[in-house]
Amino acid sequence: MTTSTVPDTTTPSAVPDTTAPSTVPDRTTPSAVPATAHPDPGDLLPYGYPALQIDRIVRHTPGALMATKAVTYHELDSHLGRSRPGEFPASLLLESFLQACGLLIVLESDGADRQLLIFGSARGVRVTGAVYAGELLEHSVELIDRDEETATFNGVARAGDGRVVLEVERAITLLRPADSLAGPQRGD
């Protein structure tokens, strides 16, 4: 004779108590949705999808920033024109890292001091692994030095499982006034 493993739902202990307060947060009301303490990267950098390669600022302390990028199949298809490539290209990995560096400068600059950020050079760049669709890419960048015309960074990028996939010993960004690319004014 076999015994049944189907639970008995007719006894009071098997019926959920709907009168007890729920421990699951209510996500239906705006007050219950947690607000991020950091601005949206799309509001800080001068471009949007598909050029924007940072989704969220996770942590910002003076001189350091952690930001994330969710790697998706859809986005990889649109960038590469292939069917399900799966692997985030090294060029976009570096671009995403540099955008995290740019966000750090923007967050630490005076709002009235609008800067145009131009990638200058990088040294000691090592791609040590791949990031695949479905993974969360996490950039940790540190500001090493800054003057009026340049900012120097270092840092790493990790895949969602903690693997280091990019190491940057030194990246230099040129800082220019935002209006420095404006053409000559009419009448000049």
Side-chain angles (χ1 to χ4, degrees), residues 58-81:
V58 177
R59 182 173 50 242
H60 171 238
T61 57
L65 180 119
M66 182 182 291
T68 59
K69 161 81 178 136
V71 179
T72 67
Y73 275 116
H74 171 75
E75 149 185 83
L76 293 176
D77 289 347
S78 70
H79 281 299
L80 301 176

Side-chain angles (χ1 to χ4, degrees), residues 175-188:
L175 308 172
R176 300 292 181 260
D179 60 357
S180 65
L181 288 183
Q185 301 296 321
R186 294 191 187 257
D188 285 350

